[in-house]
Amino acid sequence: MRQEVTVAFIVALCLIVSLTASGVSEPAETDTLPEAPFLIDGYVFYEDGSECNDPMVNITNLNQGERWEAERGETSNYYQLLLSQSVEVTAGDILKFNAISPSESQLNITEHVTTLDELESGRLSINLTLSPPPCVSIDPSDLTVLRGETFTVNITVDPHGREVFGAEYTLTFNPAILQVANQRRGNFLRQDGSDSYVVVNRFNNTLGKLEYGEMRIVTSDGVTGAGVLAMITFNLTGCGSTSLTLSNVLLSDPSPAPIPGIKTSNGSVRGYIYGDLAPYPAGNCVVDMGDVIRLLNHVHDKKKYPVNESLADLDRDGEIDLDDVMLLLLVVGDPDEYEPESH
């Protein structure tokens, strides 16, 4: 019996030695720290220094792709967001702040790299000042043009203090109403005397599309003042309304990197033809007996039968009378011989 116990003891001892030699050890204690809170807060102001109450503030961790909306109050310009360290934000993460006024007319886009000191303190306070976004517009925005006339619109840029190094856009229109004559470089990117290079300048009158791109050269600085980027000359070849729509609009800073938050303002053109008086006031892009009757009634009773006088004065003598009625009759009777624009 004693011999069996001794054998069992020796076997157990050998097993312990074998396990120890193979590197088996006790489980190590975890080195994971408990999650710590991280407060991001601040105040939002307008450009003039006044408080912007109830701002919308979105914060995005660009490294992790997470996005949050900060808490705010209707009667306060304070915002706050509580995150968890090591899970939602770590040292070196880039936080993008996007603050917008309640009317959405002013904004601030700011990027901040979190530091170890901020995480250890548990708080990041950033005040944000709003300003109008950079704007690319068509000027004039609303035009009334007679068929056969030529007119020019400007593509204007107001950076609202941002430094612009390059710009590009696409513009579309109805080719049944308009045709492009030319697209020329403006002075916006050359306003300080530095030169620029036109990267792309093309248009397609079949598709109704223009493209333009330009950048500054021989300088590392951008421009901050408003100005005309390009000028487009159109021929009005049809009748009716068409929009002038901007798309693919890009402004870049000297880094170069895209400037975010660009606002665009489109335009429109209404094309008319002489003698198109009915239905009043827009007409229907057709000159027929309805227009003759409207004009004849107007001559007898101007108050009861108003007309678009710029289209009714066919003989261009400054008066709307029976002579204009007779000319309009000729146009209706033989439009190939008597084009309204030719009189």
Side-chain angles (χ1 to χ4, degrees), residues 27 40 57 60 128 147 194 212 238 290 322:
I40 302 174
V57 181
T60 303
L128 303 169
R147 188 173 67 185
S194 294
Y212 186 84
L322 287 175

Side-chain angles (χ1 to χ4, degrees), residues 179-196:
Q179 293 284 279
V180 178
N182 59 67
Q183 181 174 228
R184 293 165 290 140
R185 176 174 58 168
N187 199 49
F188 169 66
L189 290 175
R190 298 179 293 161
Q191 59 186 264
D192 62 349
S194 294
D195 204 356
S196 67

Side-chain angles (χ1 to χ4, degrees), residues 113-125:
V113 180
T114 55
T115 66
L116 185 58
D117 289 342
E118 291 165 348
L119 292 174
E120 289 178 347
S121 70
R123 184 174 184 178
L124 168 62
S125 293

Side-chain angles (χ1 to χ4, degrees), residues 219-270:
T219 180
S220 59
D221 299 323
V223 295
T224 57
V228 176
L229 175 63
M231 299 161 287
I232 306 170
T233 299
F234 289 99
N235 295 321
L236 188 81
T237 56
C239 179
S241 296
T242 177
S243 60
L244 303 177
T245 305
L246 290 166
S247 62
N248 302 321
V249 176
L250 174 66
L251 300 179
S252 60
D253 63 24
S255 61
I259 298 174
I262 299 171
K263 179 183 178 182
T264 58
S265 181
N266 298 320
S268 63
V269 177
R270 170 71 186 180

Side-chain angles (χ1 to χ4, degrees), residues 95-157:
L95 299 180
K96 181 178 180 180
F97 293 74
N98 192 329
I100 306 175
S101 65
S103 65
E104 299 184 359
S105 61
Q106 298 195 41
L107 58 81
N108 178 299
I109 299 176
T110 297
E111 293 185 3
H112 176 83
V113 180
T114 55
T115 66
L116 185 58
D117 289 342
E118 291 165 348
L119 292 174
E120 289 178 347
S121 70
R123 184 174 184 178
L124 168 62
S125 293
I126 293 184
N127 294 335
L128 303 169
T129 300
L130 306 180
S131 62
C135 187
V136 179
S137 307
I138 296 175
D139 182 48
S141 60
D142 189 12
L143 282 167
T144 298
V145 187
L146 289 166
R147 188 173 67 185
E149 290 185 340
T150 298
F151 65 95
T152 299
V153 298
N154 296 326
I155 307 300
T156 64
V157 179

Side-chain angles (χ1 to χ4, degrees), residues 40-70:
I40 302 174
D41 68 349
Y43 296 88
V44 181
F45 300 91
Y46 287 110
E47 198 170 24
D48 61 4
S50 61
E51 297 178 353
C52 175
N53 292 337
D54 194 24
M56 177 178 291
V57 181
N58 293 317
I59 303 173
T60 303
N61 187 326
L62 298 181
N63 295 78
Q64 301 184 24
E66 294 291 334
R67 179 178 178 272
W68 309 275
E69 183 176 335

